[in-house]
PDB file of all heavy atoms in Angstrom:
ATOM      1  N   ALA U   1      92.540  96.841 111.001  1.00 41.00           N
ATOM      2  CA  ALA U   1      93.706  96.267 110.337  1.00 41.00           C
ATOM      3  C   ALA U   1      94.387  97.376 109.563  1.00 41.00           C
ATOM      4  O   ALA U   1      93.752  98.097 108.808  1.00 41.00           O
ATOM      5  CB  ALA U   1      93.287  95.145 109.396  1.00 41.00           C
ATOM      6  N   ARG U   2      95.676  97.572 109.759  1.00 39.00           N
ATOM      7  CA  ARG U   2      96.394  98.642 109.100  1.00 39.00           C
ATOM      8  C   ARG U   2      97.584  98.060 108.372  1.00 39.00           C
ATOM      9  O   ARG U   2      98.296  97.220 108.896  1.00 39.00           O
ATOM     10  CB  ARG U   2      96.883  99.675 110.125  1.00 39.00           C
ATOM     11  CG  ARG U   2      97.406 100.936 109.490  1.00 39.00           C
ATOM     12  CD  ARG U   2      97.516 102.027 110.542  1.00 39.00           C
ATOM     13  NE  ARG U   2      98.445 101.648 111.579  1.00 39.00           N
ATOM     14  CZ  ARG U   2      99.731 101.965 111.562  1.00 39.00           C
ATOM     15  NH1 ARG U   2     100.230 102.641 110.556  1.00 39.00           N
ATOM     16  NH2 ARG U   2     100.525 101.597 112.525  1.00 39.00           N
ATOM     17  N   ARG U   3      97.809  98.539 107.143  1.00 36.00           N
ATOM     18  CA  ARG U   3      98.801  97.927 106.298  1.00 36.00           C
ATOM     19  C   ARG U   3      99.989  98.852 106.037  1.00 36.00           C
ATOM     20  O   ARG U   3     100.767  98.634 105.138  1.00 36.00           O
ATOM     21  CB  ARG U   3      98.141  97.549 104.973  1.00 36.00           C
ATOM     22  CG  ARG U   3      98.979  96.670 104.092  1.00 36.00           C
ATOM     23  CD  ARG U   3      98.185  96.320 102.876  1.00 36.00           C
ATOM     24  NE  ARG U   3      99.021  95.838 101.811  1.00 36.00           N
ATOM     25  CZ  ARG U   3      98.569  95.455 100.638  1.00 36.00           C
ATOM     26  NH1 ARG U   3      97.296  95.519 100.379  1.00 36.00           N
ATOM     27  NH2 ARG U   3      99.389  95.025  99.708  1.00 36.00           N
ATOM     28  N   SER U   4     100.115  99.919 106.797  1.00 34.00           N
ATOM     29  CA  SER U   4     101.214 100.840 106.559  1.00 34.00           C
ATOM     30  C   SER U   4     102.265 100.695 107.644  1.00 34.00           C
ATOM     31  O   SER U   4     103.031  99.746 107.654  1.00 34.00           O
ATOM     32  CB  SER U   4     100.686 102.272 106.486  1.00 34.00           C
ATOM     33  OG  SER U   4      99.930 102.582 107.638  1.00 34.00           O
ATOM     34  N   ALA U   5     102.287 101.608 108.596  1.00 32.00           N
ATOM     35  CA  ALA U   5     103.365 101.612 109.577  1.00 32.00           C
ATOM     36  C   ALA U   5     103.394 100.351 110.437  1.00 32.00           C
ATOM     37  O   ALA U   5     104.447  99.801 110.694  1.00 32.00           O
ATOM     38  CB  ALA U   5     103.239 102.835 110.474  1.00 32.00           C
ATOM     39  N   ALA U   6     102.222  99.885 110.875  1.00 31.00           N
ATOM     40  CA  ALA U   6     102.211  98.719 111.748  1.00 31.00           C
ATOM     41  C   ALA U   6     102.715  97.487 111.015  1.00 31.00           C
ATOM     42  O   ALA U   6     103.489  96.706 111.542  1.00 31.00           O
ATOM     43  CB  ALA U   6     100.799  98.471 112.273  1.00 31.00           C
ATOM     44  N   ALA U   7     102.264  97.315 109.772  1.00 29.00           N
ATOM     45  CA  ALA U   7     102.726  96.162 109.002  1.00 29.00           C
ATOM     46  C   ALA U   7     104.217  96.256 108.725  1.00 29.00           C
ATOM     47  O   ALA U   7     104.949  95.287 108.815  1.00 29.00           O
ATOM     48  CB  ALA U   7     101.947  96.068 107.687  1.00 29.00           C
ATOM     49  N   ALA U   8     104.693  97.443 108.410  1.00 28.00           N
ATOM     50  CA  ALA U   8     106.115  97.621 108.124  1.00 28.00           C
ATOM     51  C   ALA U   8     106.956  97.336 109.363  1.00 28.00           C
ATOM     52  O   ALA U   8     108.003  96.712 109.289  1.00 28.00           O
ATOM     53  CB  ALA U   8     106.374  99.039 107.633  1.00 28.00           C
ATOM     54  N   LEU U   9     106.483  97.759 110.517  1.00 28.00           N
ATOM     55  CA  LEU U   9     107.204  97.508 111.755  1.00 28.00           C
ATOM     56  C   LEU U   9     107.264  96.015 112.042  1.00 28.00           C
ATOM     57  O   LEU U   9     108.309  95.477 112.371  1.00 28.00           O
ATOM     58  CB  LEU U   9     106.512  98.231 112.918  1.00 28.00           C
ATOM     59  CG  LEU U   9     107.107  97.999 114.306  1.00 28.00           C
ATOM     60  CD1 LEU U   9     108.554  98.458 114.340  1.00 28.00           C
ATOM     61  CD2 LEU U   9     106.297  98.737 115.355  1.00 28.00           C
ATOM     62  N   GLY U  10     106.138  95.344 111.867  1.00 25.00           N
ATOM     63  CA  GLY U  10     106.122  93.904 112.107  1.00 25.00           C
ATOM     64  C   GLY U  10     107.073  93.170 111.179  1.00 25.00           C
ATOM     65  O   GLY U  10     107.777  92.257 111.595  1.00 25.00           O
ATOM     66  N   LEU U  11     107.150  93.576 109.928  1.00 25.00           N
ATOM     67  CA  LEU U  11     108.042  92.927 108.981  1.00 25.00           C
ATOM     68  C   LEU U  11     109.501  93.219 109.308  1.00 25.00           C
ATOM     69  O   LEU U  11     110.364  92.374 109.174  1.00 25.00           O
ATOM     70  CB  LEU U  11     107.715  93.395 107.558  1.00 25.00           C
ATOM     71  CG  LEU U  11     106.401  92.855 106.977  1.00 25.00           C
ATOM     72  CD1 LEU U  11     106.119  93.530 105.660  1.00 25.00           C
ATOM     73  CD2 LEU U  11     106.493  91.344 106.785  1.00 25.00           C
ATOM     74  N   ALA U  12     109.761  94.439 109.730  1.00 23.00           N
ATOM     75  CA  ALA U  12     111.147  94.781 110.068  1.00 23.00           C
ATOM     76  C   ALA U  12     111.655  93.922 111.209  1.00 23.00           C
ATOM     77  O   ALA U  12     112.780  93.437 111.182  1.00 23.00           O
ATOM     78  CB  ALA U  12     111.236  96.264 110.435  1.00 23.00           C
ATOM     79  N   LEU U  13     110.824  93.697 112.188  1.00 23.00           N
ATOM     80  CA  LEU U  13     111.228  92.842 113.300  1.00 23.00           C
ATOM     81  C   LEU U  13     111.411  91.407 112.831  1.00 23.00           C
ATOM     82  O   LEU U  13     112.322  90.720 113.240  1.00 23.00           O
ATOM     83  CB  LEU U  13     110.166  92.907 114.403  1.00 23.00           C
ATOM     84  CG  LEU U  13     110.027  94.256 115.115  1.00 23.00           C
ATOM     85  CD1 LEU U  13     108.860  94.219 116.078  1.00 23.00           C
ATOM     86  CD2 LEU U  13     111.313  94.608 115.845  1.00 23.00           C
ATOM     87  N   GLY U  14     110.529  90.972 111.922  1.00 25.00           N
ATOM     88  CA  GLY U  14     110.636  89.616 111.409  1.00 25.00           C
ATOM     89  C   GLY U  14     111.905  89.401 110.610  1.00 25.00           C
ATOM     90  O   GLY U  14     112.577  88.386 110.739  1.00 25.00           O
ATOM     91  N   TRP U  15     112.267  90.378 109.793  1.00 32.00           N
ATOM     92  CA  TRP U  15     113.491  90.270 109.003  1.00 32.00           C
ATOM     93  C   TRP U  15     114.726  90.228 109.898  1.00 32.00           C
ATOM     94  O   TRP U  15     115.665  89.502 109.661  1.00 32.00           O
ATOM     95  CB  TRP U  15     113.596  91.451 108.051  1.00 32.00           C
ATOM     96  CG  TRP U  15     112.557  91.417 106.982  1.00 32.00           C
ATOM     97  CD1 TRP U  15     111.822  90.348 106.573  1.00 32.00           C
ATOM     98  CD2 TRP U  15     112.107  92.508 106.194  1.00 32.00           C
ATOM     99  NE1 TRP U  15     110.953  90.703 105.578  1.00 32.00           N
ATOM    100  CE2 TRP U  15     111.107  92.018 105.322  1.00 32.00           C
ATOM    101  CE3 TRP U  15     112.453  93.861 106.131  1.00 32.00           C
ATOM    102  CZ2 TRP U  15     110.454  92.839 104.397  1.00 32.00           C
ATOM    103  CZ3 TRP U  15     111.805  94.675 105.207  1.00 32.00           C
ATOM    104  CH2 TRP U  15     110.822  94.166 104.363  1.00 32.00           C
ATOM    105  N   ALA U  16     114.702  91.009 110.955  1.00 33.00           N
ATOM    106  CA  ALA U  16     115.859  91.037 111.849  1.00 33.00           C
ATOM    107  C   ALA U  16     116.067  89.689 112.522  1.00 33.00           C
ATOM    108  O   ALA U  16     117.187  89.273 112.787  1.00 33.00           O
ATOM    109  CB  ALA U  16     115.677  92.137 112.898  1.00 33.00           C
ATOM    110  N   ALA U  17     114.947  89.005 112.786  1.00 35.00           N
ATOM    111  CA  ALA U  17     115.047  87.736 113.496  1.00 35.00           C
ATOM    112  C   ALA U  17     115.299  86.559 112.560  1.00 35.00           C
ATOM    113  O   ALA U  17     115.969  85.607 112.916  1.00 35.00           O
ATOM    114  CB  ALA U  17     113.763  87.491 114.288  1.00 35.00           C
ATOM    115  N   LEU U  18     114.761  86.645 111.343  1.00 37.00           N
ATOM    116  CA  LEU U  18     114.812  85.505 110.442  1.00 37.00           C
ATOM    117  C   LEU U  18     115.827  85.643 109.318  1.00 37.00           C
ATOM    118  O   LEU U  18     116.062  84.710 108.573  1.00 37.00           O
ATOM    119  CB  LEU U  18     113.416  85.277 109.832  1.00 37.00           C
ATOM    120  CG  LEU U  18     112.292  85.010 110.840  1.00 37.00           C
ATOM    121  CD1 LEU U  18     110.974  84.882 110.107  1.00 37.00           C
ATOM    122  CD2 LEU U  18     112.576  83.745 111.638  1.00 37.00           C
ATOM    123  N   GLY U  19     116.419  86.802 109.158  1.00 44.00           N
ATOM    124  CA  GLY U  19     117.395  86.998 108.093  1.00 44.00           C
ATOM    125  C   GLY U  19     116.765  87.582 106.851  1.00 44.00           C
ATOM    126  O   GLY U  19     115.590  87.940 106.841  1.00 44.00           O
ATOM    127  N   PRO U  20     117.515  87.678 105.762  1.00 52.00           N
ATOM    128  CA  PRO U  20     117.016  88.300 104.540  1.00 52.00           C
ATOM    129  C   PRO U  20     115.818  87.551 103.980  1.00 52.00           C
ATOM    130  O   PRO U  20     115.694  86.335 104.101  1.00 52.00           O
ATOM    131  CB  PRO U  20     118.217  88.209 103.588  1.00 52.00           C
ATOM    132  CG  PRO U  20     119.397  88.027 104.483  1.00 52.00           C
ATOM    133  CD  PRO U  20     118.915  87.241 105.651  1.00 52.00           C
ATOM    134  N   VAL U  21     114.925  88.315 103.338  1.00 48.00           N
ATOM    135  CA  VAL U  21     113.753  87.735 102.708  1.00 48.00           C
ATOM    136  C   VAL U  21     114.131  87.258 101.317  1.00 48.00           C
ATOM    137  O   VAL U  21     114.788  87.973 100.566  1.00 48.00           O
ATOM    138  CB  VAL U  21     112.615  88.780 102.609  1.00 48.00           C
ATOM    139  CG1 VAL U  21     111.422  88.188 101.868  1.00 48.00           C
ATOM    140  CG2 VAL U  21     112.195  89.236 104.001  1.00 48.00           C
ATOM    141  N   PRO U  22     113.772  86.028 100.920  1.00 55.00           N
ATOM    142  CA  PRO U  22     114.072  85.537  99.574  1.00 55.00           C
ATOM    143  C   PRO U  22     113.537  86.474  98.513  1.00 55.00           C
ATOM    144  O   PRO U  22     112.499  87.113  98.699  1.00 55.00           O
ATOM    145  CB  PRO U  22     113.350  84.181  99.529  1.00 55.00           C
ATOM    146  CG  PRO U  22     113.243  83.772 100.960  1.00 55.00           C
ATOM    147  CD  PRO U  22     113.074  85.043 101.743  1.00 55.00           C
ATOM    148  N   ALA U  23     114.259  86.555  97.376  1.00 55.00           N
ATOM    149  CA  ALA U  23     113.877  87.489  96.316  1.00 55.00           C
ATOM    150  C   ALA U  23     112.463  87.231  95.824  1.00 55.00           C
ATOM    151  O   ALA U  23     111.739  88.156  95.476  1.00 55.00           O
ATOM    152  CB  ALA U  23     114.869  87.370  95.162  1.00 55.00           C
ATOM    153  N   ALA U  24     112.053  85.970  95.789  1.00 54.00           N
ATOM    154  CA  ALA U  24     110.722  85.634  95.290  1.00 54.00           C
ATOM    155  C   ALA U  24     109.626  86.210  96.174  1.00 54.00           C
ATOM    156  O   ALA U  24     108.521  86.481  95.729  1.00 54.00           O
ATOM    157  CB  ALA U  24     110.569  84.122  95.192  1.00 54.00           C
ATOM    158  N   ARG U  25     109.936  86.404  97.445  1.00 58.00           N
ATOM    159  CA  ARG U  25     108.945  86.930  98.373  1.00 58.00           C
ATOM    160  C   ARG U  25     109.065  88.422  98.574  1.00 58.00           C
ATOM    161  O   ARG U  25     108.180  89.043  99.149  1.00 58.00           O
ATOM    162  CB  ARG U  25     109.075  86.230  99.729  1.00 58.00           C
ATOM    163  CG  ARG U  25     108.770  84.738  99.702  1.00 58.00           C
ATOM    164  CD  ARG U  25     108.884  84.159 101.108  1.00 58.00           C
ATOM    165  NE  ARG U  25     108.027  84.884 102.041  1.00 58.00           N
ATOM    166  CZ  ARG U  25     108.102  84.763 103.356  1.00 58.00           C
ATOM    167  NH1 ARG U  25     109.009  83.968 103.897  1.00 58.00           N
ATOM    168  NH2 ARG U  25     107.284  85.439 104.149  1.00 58.00           N
ATOM    169  N   ALA U  26     110.156  89.011  98.120  1.00 60.00           N
ATOM    170  CA  ALA U  26     110.393  90.431  98.375  1.00 60.00           C
ATOM    171  C   ALA U  26     109.323  91.306  97.741  1.00 60.00           C
ATOM    172  O   ALA U  26     108.985  92.367  98.259  1.00 60.00           O
ATOM    173  CB  ALA U  26     111.768  90.827  97.861  1.00 60.00           C
ATOM    174  N   ALA U  27     108.777  90.874  96.595  1.00 71.00           N
ATOM    175  CA  ALA U  27     107.789  91.690  95.900  1.00 71.00           C
ATOM    176  C   ALA U  27     106.381  91.504  96.438  1.00 71.00           C
ATOM    177  O   ALA U  27     105.471  92.215  96.038  1.00 71.00           O
ATOM    178  CB  ALA U  27     107.823  91.360  94.404  1.00 71.00           C
ATOM    179  N   GLU U  28     106.175  90.538  97.304  1.00 80.00           N
ATOM    180  CA  GLU U  28     104.847  90.304  97.844  1.00 80.00           C
ATOM    181  C   GLU U  28     104.450  91.442  98.788  1.00 80.00           C
ATOM    182  O   GLU U  28     105.275  91.959  99.530  1.00 80.00           O
ATOM    183  CB  GLU U  28     104.820  88.982  98.610  1.00 80.00           C
ATOM    184  CG  GLU U  28     105.052  87.759  97.743  1.00 80.00           C
ATOM    185  CD  GLU U  28     105.022  86.477  98.561  1.00 80.00           C
ATOM    186  OE1 GLU U  28     104.767  86.575  99.791  1.00 80.00           O
ATOM    187  OE2 GLU U  28     105.255  85.410  97.986  1.00 80.00           O
ATOM    188  N   PRO U  29     103.181  91.835  98.743  1.00 82.00           N
ATOM    189  CA  PRO U  29     102.742  92.895  99.660  1.00 82.00           C
ATOM    190  C   PRO U  29     102.782  92.405 101.095  1.00 82.00           C
ATOM    191  O   PRO U  29     102.615  91.210 101.361  1.00 82.00           O
ATOM    192  CB  PRO U  29     101.293  93.153  99.207  1.00 82.00           C
ATOM    193  CG  PRO U  29     100.858  91.878  98.572  1.00 82.00           C
ATOM    194  CD  PRO U  29     102.100  91.339  97.899  1.00 82.00           C
ATOM    195  N   PRO U  30     103.043  93.292 102.042  1.00 83.00           N
ATOM    196  CA  PRO U  30     103.082  92.880 103.453  1.00 83.00           C
ATOM    197  C   PRO U  30     101.704  92.418 103.904  1.00 83.00           C
ATOM    198  O   PRO U  30     100.680  92.904 103.420  1.00 83.00           O
ATOM    199  CB  PRO U  30     103.512  94.159 104.182  1.00 83.00           C
ATOM    200  CG  PRO U  30     103.095  95.266 103.273  1.00 83.00           C
ATOM    201  CD  PRO U  30     103.274  94.738 101.889  1.00 83.00           C
ATOM    202  N   PRO U  31     101.647  91.482 104.831  1.00 87.00           N
ATOM    203  CA  PRO U  31     100.347  90.988 105.305  1.00 87.00           C
ATOM    204  C   PRO U  31      99.656  92.010 106.205  1.00 87.00           C
ATOM    205  O   PRO U  31     100.300  92.866 106.808  1.00 87.00           O
ATOM    206  CB  PRO U  31     100.734  89.739 106.100  1.00 87.00           C
ATOM    207  CG  PRO U  31     102.118  90.036 106.599  1.00 87.00           C
ATOM    208  CD  PRO U  31     102.778  90.804 105.481  1.00 87.00           C
ATOM    209  N   TRP U  32      98.350  91.920 106.236  1.00 86.00           N
ATOM    210  CA  TRP U  32      97.600  92.751 107.164  1.00 86.00           C
ATOM    211  C   TRP U  32      97.833  92.266 108.587  1.00 86.00           C
ATOM    212  O   TRP U  32      97.958  91.070 108.825  1.00 86.00           O
ATOM    213  CB  TRP U  32      96.105  92.670 106.848  1.00 86.00           C
ATOM    214  CG  TRP U  32      95.717  93.401 105.598  1.00 86.00           C
ATOM    215  CD1 TRP U  32      95.609  92.879 104.351  1.00 86.00           C
ATOM    216  CD2 TRP U  32      95.389  94.784 105.486  1.00 86.00           C
ATOM    217  NE1 TRP U  32      95.228  93.848 103.456  1.00 86.00           N
ATOM    218  CE2 TRP U  32      95.084  95.029 104.127  1.00 86.00           C
ATOM    219  CE3 TRP U  32      95.316  95.843 106.388  1.00 86.00           C
ATOM    220  CZ2 TRP U  32      94.713  96.289 103.652  1.00 86.00           C
ATOM    221  CZ3 TRP U  32      94.952  97.101 105.921  1.00 86.00           C
ATOM    222  CH2 TRP U  32      94.650  97.317 104.572  1.00 86.00           C
ATOM    223  N   GLN U  33      97.892  93.227 109.503  1.00 81.00           N
ATOM    224  CA  GLN U  33      98.055  92.896 110.912  1.00 81.00           C
ATOM    225  C   GLN U  33      97.003  93.632 111.732  1.00 81.00           C
ATOM    226  O   GLN U  33      96.668  94.776 111.443  1.00 81.00           O
ATOM    227  CB  GLN U  33      99.453  93.297 111.413  1.00 81.00           C
ATOM    228  CG  GLN U  33     100.584  92.496 110.787  1.00 81.00           C
ATOM    229  CD  GLN U  33     101.923  92.843 111.428  1.00 81.00           C
ATOM    230  OE1 GLN U  33     101.985  93.654 112.328  1.00 81.00           O
ATOM    231  NE2 GLN U  33     102.974  92.215 110.943  1.00 81.00           N
ATOM    232  N   VAL U  34      96.481  92.977 112.726  1.00 83.00           N
ATOM    233  CA  VAL U  34      95.537  93.613 113.644  1.00 83.00           C
ATOM    234  C   VAL U  34      96.330  94.491 114.602  1.00 83.00           C
ATOM    235  O   VAL U  34      97.209  94.012 115.315  1.00 83.00           O
ATOM    236  CB  VAL U  34      94.727  92.568 114.425  1.00 83.00           C
ATOM    237  CG1 VAL U  34      93.818  93.253 115.447  1.00 83.00           C
ATOM    238  CG2 VAL U  34      93.891  91.727 113.458  1.00 83.00           C
ATOM    239  N   VAL U  35      96.034  95.784 114.604  1.00 76.00           N
ATOM    240  CA  VAL U  35      96.780  96.702 115.466  1.00 76.00           C
ATOM    241  C   VAL U  35      95.926  97.248 116.616  1.00 76.00           C
ATOM    242  O   VAL U  35      96.440  97.919 117.500  1.00 76.00           O
ATOM    243  CB  VAL U  35      97.354  97.887 114.650  1.00 76.00           C
ATOM    244  CG1 VAL U  35      98.367  97.386 113.643  1.00 76.00           C
ATOM    245  CG2 VAL U  35      96.243  98.653 113.938  1.00 76.00           C
ATOM    246  N   GLN U  36      94.632  96.968 116.574  1.00 72.00           N
ATOM    247  CA  GLN U  36      93.775  97.435 117.657  1.00 72.00           C
ATOM    248  C   GLN U  36      92.529  96.573 117.730  1.00 72.00           C
ATOM    249  O   GLN U  36      91.933  96.233 116.710  1.00 72.00           O
ATOM    250  CB  GLN U  36      93.363  98.901 117.438  1.00 72.00           C
ATOM    251  CG  GLN U  36      92.276  99.432 118.363  1.00 72.00           C
ATOM    252  CD  GLN U  36      92.767  99.721 119.769  1.00 72.00           C
ATOM    253  OE1 GLN U  36      93.687  99.074 120.246  1.00 72.00           O
ATOM    254  NE2 GLN U  36      92.166 100.685 120.428  1.00 72.00           N
ATOM    255  N   VAL U  37      92.158  96.190 118.934  1.00 72.00           N
ATOM    256  CA  VAL U  37      90.912  95.479 119.180  1.00 72.00           C
ATOM    257  C   VAL U  37      90.133  96.284 120.213  1.00 72.00           C
ATOM    258  O   VAL U  37      90.667  96.631 121.259  1.00 72.00           O
ATOM    259  CB  VAL U  37      91.153  94.044 119.695  1.00 72.00           C
ATOM    260  CG1 VAL U  37      89.826  93.378 120.035  1.00 72.00           C
ATOM    261  CG2 VAL U  37      91.916  93.223 118.660  1.00 72.00           C
ATOM    262  N   ALA U  38      88.887  96.612 119.885  1.00 68.00           N
ATOM    263  CA  ALA U  38      88.077  97.427 120.791  1.00 68.00           C
ATOM    264  C   ALA U  38      86.747  96.740 121.045  1.00 68.00           C
ATOM    265  O   ALA U  38      86.133  96.213 120.117  1.00 68.00           O
ATOM    266  CB  ALA U  38      87.848  98.809 120.198  1.00 68.00           C
ATOM    267  N   ASP U  39      86.310  96.736 122.285  1.00 69.00           N
ATOM    268  CA  ASP U  39      85.025  96.156 122.647  1.00 69.00           C
ATOM    269  C   ASP U  39      84.332  97.121 123.589  1.00 69.00           C
ATOM    270  O   ASP U  39      84.717  97.268 124.750  1.00 69.00           O
ATOM    271  CB  ASP U  39      85.224  94.792 123.313  1.00 69.00           C
ATOM    272  CG  ASP U  39      83.910  94.051 123.496  1.00 69.00           C
ATOM    273  OD1 ASP U  39      82.852  94.682 123.325  1.00 69.00           O
ATOM    274  OD2 ASP U  39      83.936  92.852 123.812  1.00 69.00           O
ATOM    275  N   PHE U  40      83.310  97.802 123.066  1.00 65.00           N
ATOM    276  CA  PHE U  40      82.622  98.806 123.858  1.00 65.00           C
ATOM    277  C   PHE U  40      81.256  98.342 124.344  1.00 65.00           C
ATOM    278  O   PHE U  40      80.540  99.096 124.976  1.00 65.00           O
ATOM    279  CB  PHE U  40      82.455 100.097 123.046  1.00 65.00           C
ATOM    280  CG  PHE U  40      83.767 100.748 122.702  1.00 65.00           C
ATOM    281  CD1 PHE U  40      84.381 100.491 121.486  1.00 65.00           C
ATOM    282  CD2 PHE U  40      84.387 101.606 123.589  1.00 65.00           C
ATOM    283  CE1 PHE U  40      85.589 101.078 121.160  1.00 65.00           C
ATOM    284  CE2 PHE U  40      85.592 102.199 123.277  1.00 65.00           C
ATOM    285  CZ  PHE U  40      86.205 101.933 122.062  1.00 65.00           C
ATOM    286  N   GLY U  41      80.897  97.137 124.000  1.00 64.00           N
ATOM    287  CA  GLY U  41      79.617  96.649 124.470  1.00 64.00           C
ATOM    288  C   GLY U  41      78.841  95.934 123.381  1.00 64.00           C
ATOM    289  O   GLY U  41      79.338  95.654 122.293  1.00 64.00           O
ATOM    290  N   GLU U  42      77.598  95.676 123.692  1.00 65.00           N
ATOM    291  CA  GLU U  42      76.746  94.844 122.843  1.00 65.00           C
ATOM    292  C   GLU U  42      76.489  95.457 121.475  1.00 65.00           C
ATOM    293  O   GLU U  42      76.334  94.752 120.478  1.00 65.00           O
ATOM    294  CB  GLU U  42      75.418  94.610 123.557  1.00 65.00           C
ATOM    295  CG  GLU U  42      74.440  93.737 122.799  1.00 65.00           C
ATOM    296  CD  GLU U  42      73.154  93.516 123.564  1.00 65.00           C
ATOM    297  OE1 GLU U  42      73.054  94.020 124.708  1.00 65.00           O
ATOM    298  OE2 GLU U  42      72.253  92.851 123.024  1.00 65.00           O
TER     299      GLU U  42
END
């Protein structure tokens, strides 16, 4: 889970689709997003 570039990219796309973020939510930290899933075995 990465909270820097991947989270910022996800939020930027969300803002473009949903419009401006309300002021009350603007100060909230961005949510964590899963950017990689790896399964190498047991």
